[in-house]
Amino acid sequence: MFRCGLIMFAVRVSVLCYLLCMSSGSVEEENPEFWRSSAQNTLRSALSRKLNTNVAKNIVLFLGDGMGVTTITAARILKGQLQNRSGEETVMNMDTFPFVGLAKVYTVDFQIPDSAATATAYLCGVKTNLNTVGVSAAARNGVCRSQKGNEVTSILKWAKDAGKSVGIVTTTRVQHATPAASYAHSASRTWYSDADLPNSAVTGGCMDIASQLLRNTDIDVIIGGGRKYMTPKGFPDPEYPADLKAQGQRKDNRNLINEWLSMKEGKVARYVWNKTDFDAVDPEKTDYLMALFEPGDLRFDVERDPSMDPSISETTEKAIQILKKNPKGFFLLVEGGRIDQGHHDSRASMALHEAVALDDAVARGLELTNEEETLTVVTADHSHAFTFNGYPFRGNSILGKSPIFAMDLLPYSTLMYGNGPGHKIIDNKRPDIRNVDTTDKDYVQQSAVPLDSETHGGEDVALFARGPMAHLFQGVFEQNYIAHAMAFAACVGTNQEHCAATAEPNEIPFTSTDPGSSAPDTPLAAMTTVMLSVWMSVLLH
């Protein structure tokens, strides 16, 4: 009874605080006609949508590494709250895409995947084993001899073979799992440079991923991090010359950056490592661009020095400007890779700001391309053990706390993890976070199970599509289907029977830009009544 009384007291205090602190909002959401009108607008948008059956001249694939549905929802709210809105009603750029599907992300050997196996699926069209890139499931993780004869190529190569320009943009190192699957074949995703190869791989003739970046496919635009995997051991980094960890790592004494430049004889090829030089690159006069802004992965967007490193929107823009000069079109992979790394650290703020940055890049990509000829896809490789829970009031900070305490009489954040470094029990109690700023970029969310690094999640991930043949991405499908559907849309790779006679669209395709958004604030009376009813139900059962 005493505990129940304390909990009820906490409920009353929370409601009172809400009543006192909440600004008066619009009453329009109390009117049923508001919701009926919103639904009718969305219905009319759906009914007026026409299929775009053009052949896709261009493909832009935006990949949010670790951007599961919970991450998308939370990032949507954060994006709105960064604009001083309630947040829930916000419409992300990816939300405006008319076709949505769900991809099944398991690997051949595991229920829950990693970024290497998933990238091989959605880029190469073949499911494979954990930790391997650009090889079939006949290859074994870390076993060099098993990859020979089991290599599989990606849609990036199919596009290049069809005469298109191709590029990769990432916020990680360009040798990381996602970009690597577009050009490399490796029994281990961790063989970034030759220094990472075990003796068995060296004697077995396997090649490190950085070397394959130059050898396998002629990539027009390469943007991300990963300088240290391209230069000889001990080679000083241009940005951090005194940092030993930033120095080159290659044991073969090769400078792959210089080799790449020498391979482009007769073409205008530029290598840059800072924003000043990057901004000076003229897309109209540039055939090839390699931009490596960090020794390893790029900085998180909230920690990025805008005078040294461009945003993912800026790198996406530069890549498209260079690639779209090709009259045959282009394929571009854009990865928001540090969403995943923020989640592994259980720093939700970092992960969500990265997702917002990726969505901004989506907007820039749409502005620079024509929907009539460009297929744009936004998806994720996998999810995380990430939850959005409790009963927070409308407009509560997405990085904040639930307004009522748990049974241990302590508060909890509405974003949490099933496992990870946030599991801390002292004297059989959770940490008291009443005076902790959970919105801080470095705050580590609490978790149920102690792990040094939070794990991936295994649920299906969403895919958003817009442009030629976007209607191919509907329903629930295997993740490897994505590569085949994109290739079909662009008439690259196999399935080209339909390409001889280019289909004309039935009509200009309609894409809703406001799929039933609501007002920024929720009426006080309705919200309070609902929340009290929910809490009483929880407490009495």
Side-chain angles (χ1 to χ4, degrees):
M1 290 298 294
F2 176 71
R3 172 172 290 184
C4 183
L6 284 177
I7 294 176
M8 288 303 298
F9 175 74
V11 171
R12 294 190 188 100
V13 170
S14 298
V15 173
L16 179 60
C17 179
Y18 177 75
L19 294 173
L20 292 174
C21 299
M22 181 178 176
S23 61
S24 58
S26 171
V27 297
E28 64 180 342
E29 288 186 0
E30 294 182 349
N31 185 347
E33 286 306 313
F34 171 84
W35 299 106
R36 291 169 182 155
S37 176
S38 173
Q40 288 298 316
N41 288 337
T42 304
L43 180 60
R44 283 191 291 271
S45 295
L47 291 171
S48 63
R49 187 177 299 139
K50 304 299 180 182
L51 300 184
N52 181 342
T53 56
N54 286 346
V55 171
K57 177 181 177 181
N58 313 309
I59 299 176
V60 184
L61 171 59
F62 289 94
L63 192 286
D65 196 319
M67 191 177 68
V69 172
T70 304
T71 300
I72 293 173
T73 302
R76 179 189 299 128
I77 296 173
L78 176 63
K79 186 165 188 172
Q81 292 180 347
L82 290 173
Q83 300 167 353
N84 296 318
R85 304 177 66 188
S86 172
E88 298 82 4
E89 74 294 332
T90 302
V91 178
M92 299 270 274
N93 293 297
M94 65 184 78
D95 292 340
T96 67
F97 286 37
F99 296 98
V100 181
L102 291 174
K104 299 160 68 175
V105 301
Y106 66 91
T107 70
V108 171
D109 55 348
F110 278 80
Q111 285 184 337
I112 296 179
D114 78 315
S115 297
T118 51
T120 302
Y122 62 76
L123 289 172
C124 303
V126 174
K127 287 214 171 193
T128 189
N129 297 322
L130 210 72
N131 295 326
T132 63
V133 291
V135 291
S136 72
R140 296 292 179 264
N141 178 24
V143 182
C144 170
R145 65 178 181 276
S146 70
Q147 78 179 48
K148 300 300 177 64
N150 294 316
E151 298 89 350
V152 293
T153 57
S154 78
I155 187 172
L156 180 140
K157 186 178 189 307
W158 309 339
K160 189 68 178 185
D161 290 345
K164 297 182 185 293
S165 295
V166 296
I168 54 176
V169 171
T170 181
T171 55
T172 66
R173 68 208 83 170
V174 296
Q175 305 86 359
H176 209 251
T178 298
S182 71
Y183 62 83
H185 315 287
S186 181
S188 173
R189 59 177 287 179
T190 63
W191 294 347
Y192 302 123
S193 79
D194 67 323
D196 300 312
L197 294 173
N199 289 334
S200 60
V202 174
T203 57
C206 284
M207 183 179 294
D208 63 277
I209 293 170
S211 294
Q212 295 186 59
L213 178 60
L214 273 64
R215 175 175 174 172
N216 292 353
T217 304
D218 185 27
I219 303 175
D220 302 88
V221 175
I222 302 167
I223 302 177
R227 291 191 296 252
K228 64 183 179 181
Y229 305 111
M230 307 288 283
T231 55
K233 187 174 182 62
F235 189 87
D237 186 81
E239 189 173 0
Y240 315 104
D243 186 350
L244 298 180
K245 293 182 179 179
Q247 291 181 348
Q249 295 190 357
R250 302 198 63 82
K251 296 169 62 177
D252 57 12
N253 206 37
R254 295 172 64 190
N255 187 316
L256 299 184
I257 296 170
N258 290 341
E259 289 186 23
W260 180 84
L261 287 168
S262 65
M263 292 168 63
K264 310 305 178 188
E265 185 175 353
K267 297 290 186 179
V268 178
R270 295 287 306 278
Y271 166 72
V272 300
W273 59 267
N274 60 72
K275 189 174 187 296
T276 299
D277 291 343
F278 177 78
D279 290 343
V281 173
D282 184 351
E284 293 300 320
K285 299 178 181 178
T286 303
D287 300 314
Y288 291 91
L289 173 64
M290 177 184 286
L292 304 179
F293 296 107
E294 290 288 337
D297 300 325
L298 303 191
R299 296 182 182 274
F300 283 106
D301 194 63
V302 296
E303 297 177 335
R304 177 175 58 87
D305 180 353
S307 68
M308 288 298 296
D309 301 326
S311 67
I312 189 172
S313 293
E314 292 171 306
T315 53
T316 298
E317 176 176 355
K318 187 79 75 174
I320 292 176
Q321 289 173 335
I322 293 173
L323 297 174
K324 72 178 185 179
K325 294 181 301 182
N326 187 336
K328 292 186 178 181
F330 65 86
F331 171 84
L332 175 63
L333 168 65
V334 180
E335 182 201 18
R338 301 219 68 187
I339 301 170
D340 175 73
Q341 294 173 1
H343 280 317
H344 281 309
D345 292 341
S346 292
R347 294 191 290 174
S349 177
M350 289 294 199
L352 297 187
H353 278 89
E354 290 295 304
V356 170
L358 179 65
D359 192 61
D360 292 340
V362 171
R364 196 71 191 106
L366 295 178
E367 292 169 0
L368 293 167
T369 56
N370 181 350
E371 186 176 353
E372 282 294 287
E373 63 180 17
T374 302
L375 171 64
T376 304
V377 175
V378 182
T379 189
D381 48 358
H382 55 74
S383 184
H384 276 267
F386 183 52
T387 65
F388 180 16
N389 69 115
Y391 296 103
F393 289 112
R394 175 81 174 272
N396 192 63
S397 170
I398 189 61
L399 298 169
K401 305 160 191 171
S402 176
I404 63 169
F405 292 176
M407 292 182 66
D408 57 6
L409 306 182
L410 294 174
Y412 59 95
S413 58
T414 56
L415 298 178
M416 302 177 72
Y417 291 90
N419 57 56
H423 180 90
K424 295 179 176 64
I425 301 295
I426 301 174
D427 295 330
N428 293 321
K429 289 184 178 180
R430 295 185 300 121
D432 186 349
I433 61 172
R434 279 177 291 185
N435 297 318
V436 175
D437 181 8
T438 58
T439 67
D440 185 85
K441 66 180 180 64
D442 292 317
Y443 176 71
V444 176
Q445 259 73 18
Q446 293 179 356
S447 66
V449 175
L451 287 178
D452 289 337
S453 177
E454 178 266 356
T455 71
H456 296 165
E459 69 270 25
D460 300 349
V461 297
L463 182 146
F464 307 85
R466 172 174 176 162
M469 296 293 178
H471 57 280
L472 297 178
F473 298 100
Q474 298 184 73
V476 180
F477 41 79
E478 296 285 359
Q479 194 170 38
N480 68 295
Y481 166 76
I482 297 171
H484 295 278
M486 290 191 298
F488 180 92
C491 287
V492 300
T494 56
N495 300 117
Q496 295 192 26
E497 296 83 0
H498 65 296
C499 303
T502 301
E504 294 295 332
N506 296 327
E507 291 183 33
I508 296 176
F510 177 85
T511 301
S512 171
T513 57
D514 186 16
S517 64
S518 63
D521 296 303
T522 299
L524 174 61
M527 177 57 77
T528 303
T529 300
V530 170
M531 294 304 296
L532 283 173
S533 297
V534 171
W535 282 337
M536 290 304 294
S537 175
V538 171
L539 292 171
L540 294 175
H541 290 82

